[in-house]
């Protein structure tokens, strides 16, 4: 990603004070990016991403104000949800690829699912949500980088996909999510974000009645400033809040470095 060592770039937060400090720094950067883009900072939601972070540190982050957390792997998130059931207002967003046979876990506890990318998965989620008597906010994941290794629908398939979604009563469509290419070339990264916004602007006009496309979930620790300039309404930030992860990104996204 960058030549900088992530350990020094993102020191590990170990106290509530550390978390408050990191959150304030991220919020300040969000405000600066909004100012740059002439946007209202209230139009950008910060979603802290707690994957690989243990329960003890998540509880500190919770105390510092993180009550809605993103996780990449559903079973890790499910375990954390069970372990922290004493925090009733702690909510979870699943932001990583989901196999249909794991839809039942998402249906049990998640508030939001940001990686919807197939009708089979929509069917599996709908069935499990009906069993649970729950509904789920969903984002359609779009592959804006053109990298075959990335999950998400190719942009040209999104319009037809959206037309099928009103059939799923338990899925509340909120918008799109993308992962930009992992490149040191920030103009290429920006291009991925622009593509998602343009797709949203174009499809919003003839989206089915119950399909809302307001939200654009894009941008992470290394690029959320650019994402906000390009219209992000949700930024998913892990390392800049929790500290550097030990595992490389390839562990989460096949094909990346
Ligand atoms: C891990 C992850 C993020 C956050 O990445 P950071 O570099 O920790 O900010 C964002 N989106 C997804 C899908 C992720 O898996």
């Amino acid at each position: 990603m960058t030549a900088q060592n992530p350990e020094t770039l993102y020191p590990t937060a170990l106290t509530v004070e550390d978390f408050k400090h990191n959150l304030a720094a991220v919020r300040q950067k969000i405000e600066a990016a909004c100012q740059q883009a002439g946007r209202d900072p209230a139009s950008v939601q910060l979603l802290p991403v707690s994957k690989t972070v243990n329960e003890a540190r998540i509880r500190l982050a919770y105390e510092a104000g993180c009550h809605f957390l993103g996780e990449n792997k559903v079973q890790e998130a499910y375990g954390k949800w069970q372990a922290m059931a004493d925090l009733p207002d702690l909510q979870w967003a699943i932001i990583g690829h989901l196999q249909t046979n794991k839809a039942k876990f998402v249906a049990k506890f998640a508030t939001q699912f940001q990686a919807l990318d197939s009708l089979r998965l929509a069917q599996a989620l709908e069935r499990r949500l009906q069993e649970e008597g729950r509904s789920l906010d969903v984002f359609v994941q779009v592959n804006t980088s053109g990298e075959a290794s990335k999950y998400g629908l190719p942009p040209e398939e999104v319009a037809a996909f959206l037309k099928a979604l009103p059939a799923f009563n338990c899925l509340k469509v909120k918008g799109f999510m993308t992962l930009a290419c992992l490149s040191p070339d920030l103009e290429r990264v920006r291009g991925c974000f622009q593509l998602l916004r343009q797709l949203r602007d174009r499809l919003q006009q003839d989206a089915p009645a119950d399909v809302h496309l307001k939200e654009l979930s894009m941008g992470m620790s290394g690029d959320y400033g650019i994402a906000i300039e390009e219209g992000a309404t949700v930024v998913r930030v892990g390392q800049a809040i929790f500290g550097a992860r030990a595992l490389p990104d390839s562990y989460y996204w096949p094909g990346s470095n």
Side-chain angles (χ1 to χ4, degrees):
M1 241 166 68
T2 56
Q4 251 168 312
N5 177 359
E7 295 289 347
T8 43
L9 196 56
Y10 306 123
T12 304
L14 296 169
T15 65
V16 176
E17 282 314 308
D18 289 348
F19 278 108
K20 284 186 176 162
H21 174 269
N22 290 353
L23 286 163
V26 171
R27 293 218 168 89
Q28 211 161 45
K29 214 177 131 182
I30 290 174
E31 278 180 29
C34 283
Q35 197 149 32
Q36 175 88 11
R39 297 185 55 194
D40 178 0
S43 67
V44 180
Q45 187 202 347
L46 170 61
L47 177 64
V49 177
S50 55
K51 68 188 184 208
T52 76
V53 178
N54 66 24
E55 180 187 339
R57 289 178 62 230
I58 290 179
R59 285 181 181 272
L60 299 177
Y62 176 88
E63 238 181 282
C66 300
H67 294 190
F68 190 35
L69 295 172
E71 287 274 340
N72 178 283
K73 291 179 187 289
V74 68
Q75 269 158 318
E76 180 179 339
Y78 187 71
K80 288 173 178 176
W81 169 68
Q82 287 181 312
M84 289 178 267
D86 58 304
L87 306 175
D89 66 337
L90 177 56
Q91 297 189 49
W92 300 92
I94 302 303
I95 60 175
H97 178 72
L98 185 70
Q99 292 169 295
T100 49
N101 63 2
K102 293 185 182 157
K104 57 178 180 283
F105 293 106
V106 171
K108 273 190 204 299
F109 79 102
T111 300
Q112 203 176 74
F113 176 59
Q114 293 201 2
L116 185 64
D117 62 358
S118 78
L119 285 178
R120 270 190 68 220
L121 184 54
Q123 279 155 2
L125 285 167
E126 175 73 16
R127 182 163 72 84
R128 296 297 186 169
L129 286 161
Q130 278 181 8
E131 285 170 11
E132 299 288 336
R134 297 183 76 238
S135 65
L136 183 68
D137 288 350
V138 297
F139 291 53
V140 175
Q141 185 174 356
V142 182
N143 181 343
T144 53
S145 67
E147 294 165 30
S149 59
K150 287 267 181 10
Y151 294 113
L153 287 168
E156 63 274 15
E157 290 177 20
V158 175
F161 185 71
L162 292 179
K163 292 216 162 64
L165 293 183
F168 304 104
N169 289 319
C170 303
L171 303 182
K172 310 292 175 199
V173 183
K174 298 294 174 186
F176 294 153
M177 179 275 233
T178 202
L179 282 164
C181 52
L182 286 173
S183 165
D185 178 353
L186 294 181
E187 288 314 300
R188 281 189 59 211
V189 171
R190 184 184 295 277
C192 295
F193 298 145
Q194 284 172 339
L195 192 104
L196 195 70
R197 188 196 60 219
Q198 287 161 0
L199 186 71
R200 193 274 312 268
D201 291 350
R202 189 152 48 80
L203 297 183
Q204 208 162 26
Q205 288 140 30
D206 12 85
D210 292 337
V211 171
H212 301 282
L213 299 179
K214 179 173 155 280
E215 309 293 343
L216 292 175
S217 173
M218 55 190 198
M220 7 198 276
S221 291
D223 55 23
Y224 64 90
I226 300 173
I228 289 168
E229 287 170 23
E230 298 305 333
T233 64
V234 179
V235 291
R236 310 177 306 267
V237 178
Q239 298 182 88
I241 294 171
F242 290 91
R245 273 185 303 277
L247 293 162
D249 284 334
S250 56
Y251 176 74
Y252 305 97
W253 311 305
S256 56
N257 298 311

